[in-house]
Amino acid sequence: MSEDLFAIEGLRIVITGGASGIGLGAARELLQRGATVELWDARDERLERAGAGDLVSWRDRVTMRRVDVADARAVEQAAHETLAAGPVDVLINCAGISSFRRPVLEIPLDDWERMLGVNLMGTLHTCRAFGAAMIGRGSGSIVNVSSVDAVDPSPGILHYAVSKAAVAMLTTGLAREWAKTGVRVNAVGPGPISTPMTEPILEKTPGLRERWEAAIPLGWIGTPRDLAGIFVYLASPASAWVTGRSFYIDGGWLL
Ligand SMILES: NC(=O)c1ccc[n+]([C@@H]2O[C@H](COP(=O)([O-])OP(=O)(O)OC[C@H]3O[C@@H](n4cnc5c(N)ncnc54)[C@H](O)[C@@H]3O)[C@@H](O)[C@H]2O)c1
């Protein structure tokens, strides 16, 4: 019998921003398939809520760590502790922030710095910390979460779109530089997904839900479960010949 191409049982996977939304959805699917998962998140209450929810059924394979990925030293320290417990096979960088819509000239410079600090630099920090260890072992898969905004910027959140375009470029560059080391680097660029990030924006912006639904050819706003399969694919041997790609999973948004 041939090996299961999608086998991820026994892999150790770190998911940043893993206590909510897309990261938590990915965690559930990966745990379901036998992986061991460490969730990183900046927010204690989200980690506690995630830990107290349905993840308890996998409590022997799931751990949590409070880390602000924008803080380079904190990431280094946390990665050191995580790696001391054993090698990490897969890193999924979901930690990110978005923003309410505003014309570009009304976006304060501090908001630009925070956006780039979390979405771009936070991704860079974990890629550096875990990438070095993966290169040392000669294998690993890194999955960065960008967005359709990386190539099709939504009005009013140019700082977000720029941060996600930078994540896509970081992915391409790292993939090229690390390909010979056995470390693969890819990106997942979701279209609109219903999560604690987007629900408040949808509630406060009249007509936005209808505009999104109309702009998605498949007709519905996605859920974290609609993205779970691409994370399994990129963690598994099925994607062994894949690096440097951005996968836009978007219900057809970019069509
Ligand atoms: N929801 C969407 O429509 C959508 C679309 C495209 C891309 N994305 C991206 O997907 C990723 C996950 O988004 P989501 O919708 O699940 O949002 P979410 O808010 O539900 O989850 C993001 C998590 O990241 C954590 N986080 C934020 N800043 C952090 C930091 N500095 N350090 C560590 N953790 C931090 C948050 O506490 C939160 O738990 C983000 O990068 C987001 O930009 C989301």
Side-chain angles (χ1 to χ4, degrees), residues 143-156:
V143 185
N144 297 325
V145 176
S146 66
S147 166
V148 289
D149 283 274
V151 289
D152 180 27
S154 303

Side-chain angles (χ1 to χ4, degrees), residues 121-162:
M121 297 308 288
T123 303
L124 175 65
H125 296 151
T126 55
C127 285
R128 280 166 58 100
F130 288 105
M134 288 174 173
I135 289 168
R137 287 180 77 209
S139 72
S141 171
I142 296 177
V143 185
N144 297 325
V145 176
S146 66
S147 166
V148 289
D149 283 274
V151 289
D152 180 27
S154 303
I157 47 167
L158 189 56
H159 51 341
Y160 177 79
V162 168

Side-chain angles (χ1 to χ4, degrees), residues 16-24 40-47 66-71 75 93-98 114 117-119 122-123 145-149 160 163-164 188-199 212 221-222 224 227 231:
T16 74
S20 177
I22 292 169
L24 185 55
W40 284 22
D41 208 283
R43 291 174 62 174
D44 278 323
E45 79 284 2
R46 287 197 172 182
L47 285 168
R66 205 197 73 75
V67 190
D68 176 355
V69 295
D71 179 342
V75 168
N93 279 310
C94 266
I97 54 173
S98 186
R114 180 74 189 142
V118 175
N119 292 2
T123 303
V145 176
S146 66
S147 166
V148 289
D149 283 274
Y160 177 79
S163 75
K164 293 302 187 177
V188 172
I193 305 290
S194 173
T195 68
M197 175 186 280
T198 47
E199 278 306 321
W212 277 4
I221 293 173
L227 296 176
F231 292 114

Side-chain angles (χ1 to χ4, degrees), residues 47-61:
L47 285 168
E48 277 161 27
R49 205 179 318 135
D54 59 337
L55 297 193
V56 291
S57 40
W58 299 291
R59 69 166 79 75
D60 54 329
R61 283 190 283 113

Side-chain angles (χ1 to χ4, degrees), residues 15 21 23-33 53-55 58 224:
I15 306 178
L24 185 55
R28 286 196 179 101
E29 194 61 34
L30 296 162
L31 284 161
Q32 184 77 48
R33 292 164 184 272
D54 59 337
L55 297 193
W58 299 291

Side-chain angles (χ1 to χ4, degrees), residues 18-252:
S20 177
I22 292 169
L24 185 55
R28 286 196 179 101
E29 194 61 34
L30 296 162
L31 284 161
Q32 184 77 48
R33 292 164 184 272
T36 294
V37 172
E38 182 165 298
L39 303 179
W40 284 22
D41 208 283
R43 291 174 62 174
D44 278 323
E45 79 284 2
R46 287 197 172 182
L47 285 168
E48 277 161 27
R49 205 179 318 135
D54 59 337
L55 297 193
V56 291
S57 40
W58 299 291
R59 69 166 79 75
D60 54 329
R61 283 190 283 113
V62 62
T63 50
M64 321 248 170
R65 198 181 282 279
R66 205 197 73 75
V67 190
D68 176 355
V69 295
D71 179 342
R73 293 183 62 162
V75 168
E76 248 174 64
Q77 177 62 30
H80 181 75
E81 288 167 17
T82 299
L83 289 164
V88 168
D89 302 290
V90 180
L91 166 67
I92 299 179
N93 279 310
C94 266
I97 54 173
S98 186
S99 162
F100 290 99
R101 272 65 184 152
R102 270 178 301 195
V104 66
L105 295 180
E106 291 172 23
I107 302 175
L109 288 179
D110 283 353
D111 288 16
W112 275 88
E113 282 184 14
R114 180 74 189 142
M115 189 67 78
L116 292 166
V118 175
N119 292 2
L120 170 60
M121 297 308 288
T123 303
L124 175 65
H125 296 151
T126 55
C127 285
R128 280 166 58 100
F130 288 105
M134 288 174 173
I135 289 168
R137 287 180 77 209
S139 72
S141 171
I142 296 177
V143 185
N144 297 325
V145 176
S146 66
S147 166
V148 289
D149 283 274
V151 289
D152 180 27
S154 303
I157 47 167
L158 189 56
H159 51 341
Y160 177 79
V162 168
S163 75
K164 293 302 187 177
V167 166
M169 181 53 78
L170 177 68
T171 302
T172 312
L174 291 178
R176 184 170 287 169
E177 195 164 328
W178 291 351
K180 292 274 189 288
T181 72
V183 179
R184 301 182 295 108
V185 190
N186 291 287
V188 172
I193 305 290
S194 173
T195 68
M197 175 186 280
T198 47
E199 278 306 321
I201 298 170
L202 284 164
E203 272 157 33
K204 285 193 190 160
T205 316
L208 185 60
R209 191 181 299 275
E210 292 70 23
R211 287 206 299 281
W212 277 4
E213 281 168 356
I216 298 170
L218 288 182
W220 78 90
I221 293 173
T223 67
R225 199 170 154 72
D226 291 316
L227 296 176
I230 191 74
F231 292 114
V232 173
Y233 170 66
L234 290 172
S236 75
S239 60
W241 203 47
V242 178
T243 197
R245 291 292 105 203
S246 282
F247 294 86
Y248 293 103
I249 310 294
D250 62 355

